[in-house]
Amino acid sequence: MTRPLRVATWNVNSLTARMPRVEEWLTTVRPDVLCLQETKQADAAFPYDAFEALGYQAAHHGDGRWNGVAVVSRVGLDDVVAGFGSDLDVQGPRLLAATCAGVRVHSVYVPNGRSLDSEHFTAKLAWLEGLRQVLADHHDPADPLVVCGDFNVAPDDRDVWDPDHFEGMTHVSVPERAALAALLDWGLVDVFRSCYADGGLFSWWDYRGGSFHRGWGMRIDLVLATRPLADTVTFSLVDRNARKGEKPSDHAPVLADFAIV
DNA sequence: ATGGTTGCGAAGCAA
């Protein structure tokens, strides 16, 4: 069998602060495609040259202090589209698409929502519905496509360390889980979940209170793939090692291997 | 788990 296509996603919580860790990780893990979120950079500050030195092309969509998404690829990077081209873009640079090795790749940073009674929560639901609409309008679930990123939604109760703790909070509420389910219903598979049925497998841990070491996390970083791709998955992993050591992001990268190349 | 940490940017906000 030929080498699989390795796709990864990582909310780096400032690429400026995290670039040494990202370079180290790319060197060891060598994903074919890496989707980044929360670069917190303007396009002009994005380190295109450093990625190129590692053999990667990159596209970035960011405006500075908040948000910012990128697609980094060593298997080609074509037809880059930034944002929605609609009023959803007022929520910041959170969506970037590109075609890599024939796969349409979306890097997404879903709005946090802040709290259930916040206008930002309403905006989060609208953003997720807008993303579903983009897929429905421009793509076919029979085509090879991935949506990777920080969804700021834990798909079900297995994906949080203590469901009772999150009662009344964002990331677990019925409407946002329904918005994520609607996305999946269009024709996407939660690839990591398709490999593991167990709970307690997380991708984000609060910086505060030793949450990582206590196991107080959530699985909110997802690789979603259309069925033709998802059916070829051979391996998926949350790289918890990237959450350890010096200056980690509060998110760990999630990767998935597809046997399509 | 109502305190706690990080990043940005230079105080306070967002996560």
Side-chain angles (χ1 to χ4, degrees):
Chain A
M1 192 178 79
T2 52
R3 187 181 53 79
L5 185 79
R6 174 163 287 182
V7 176
T9 185
W10 195 1
N11 179 323
V12 292
N13 185 19
S14 170
L15 188 57
T16 306
R18 215 68 58 210
M19 193 59 182
R21 296 288 304 246
V22 172
E23 290 175 301
E24 175 190 35
W25 194 79
L26 282 176
T27 300
T28 56
V29 177
R30 295 302 287 172
D32 295 289
V33 180
L34 172 61
C35 295
L36 298 173
Q37 300 85 36
E38 279 207 90
T39 63
K40 297 185 177 179
Q41 287 174 329
D43 290 338
F46 187 82
Y48 293 98
D49 292 348
F51 284 113
E52 188 175 349
L54 294 174
Y56 288 88
Q57 296 172 272
H60 180 254
H61 179 42
D63 61 10
R65 187 170 178 185
W66 307 113
N67 313 306
V69 287
V71 178
V72 178
S73 170
R74 63 190 182 100
V75 291
L77 189 69
D78 299 306
D79 301 320
V80 175
V81 176
F84 290 90
S86 77
D87 56 3
L88 289 172
D89 289 326
V90 301
Q91 298 195 50
R94 297 172 175 275
L95 172 64
L96 183 66
T99 300
C100 309
V103 177
R104 191 63 178 165
V105 176
H106 298 76
S107 181
V108 304
Y109 177 46
V110 177
N112 175 286
R114 301 193 190 180
S115 63
L116 297 186
D117 59 358
S118 166
E119 62 188 15
H120 293 95
F121 183 73
T122 308
K124 177 183 192 175
L125 298 179
W127 198 97
L128 280 163
E129 169 55 19
L131 177 60
R132 191 200 62 78
Q133 198 67 53
V134 164
L135 298 178
D137 287 350
H138 301 294
H139 299 286
D140 189 308
D143 293 334
L145 176 149
V146 290
V147 184
C148 305
D150 177 359
F151 285 78
N152 273 316
V153 179
D156 67 53
D157 282 351
R158 290 173 293 177
D159 301 313
V160 298
W161 67 275
D162 178 9
D164 291 339
H165 171 79
F166 290 95
E167 191 68 38
M169 297 172 68
T170 60
H171 295 65
V172 302
S173 72
V174 169
E176 61 200 293
R177 281 179 167 170
L180 177 62
L183 204 58
L184 294 168
D185 284 346
W186 170 77
L188 294 169
V189 175
D190 178 349
V191 169
F192 180 86
R193 178 51 78 204
S194 76
C195 294
Y196 306 97
D198 291 344
L201 302 171
F202 306 135
S203 66
W204 172 87
W205 300 261
D206 200 303
Y207 280 125
R208 298 167 287 188
S211 294
F212 179 70
H213 296 288
R214 293 172 188 248
W216 293 346
M218 286 197 278
R219 191 176 70 92
I220 55 177
D221 299 275
L222 309 177
V223 175
L224 307 183
T226 50
R227 179 59 68 181
L229 264 184
D231 283 347
T232 75
V233 68
T234 58
F235 180 68
S236 186
L237 182 79
V238 176
D239 188 356
R240 298 176 74 261
N241 288 326
R243 183 61 177 77
K244 304 174 183 176
E246 288 290 308
K247 288 178 70 69
S249 170
D250 45 355
H251 297 252
V254 180
L255 64 89
D257 289 348
F258 301 100
I260 59 160
V261 177

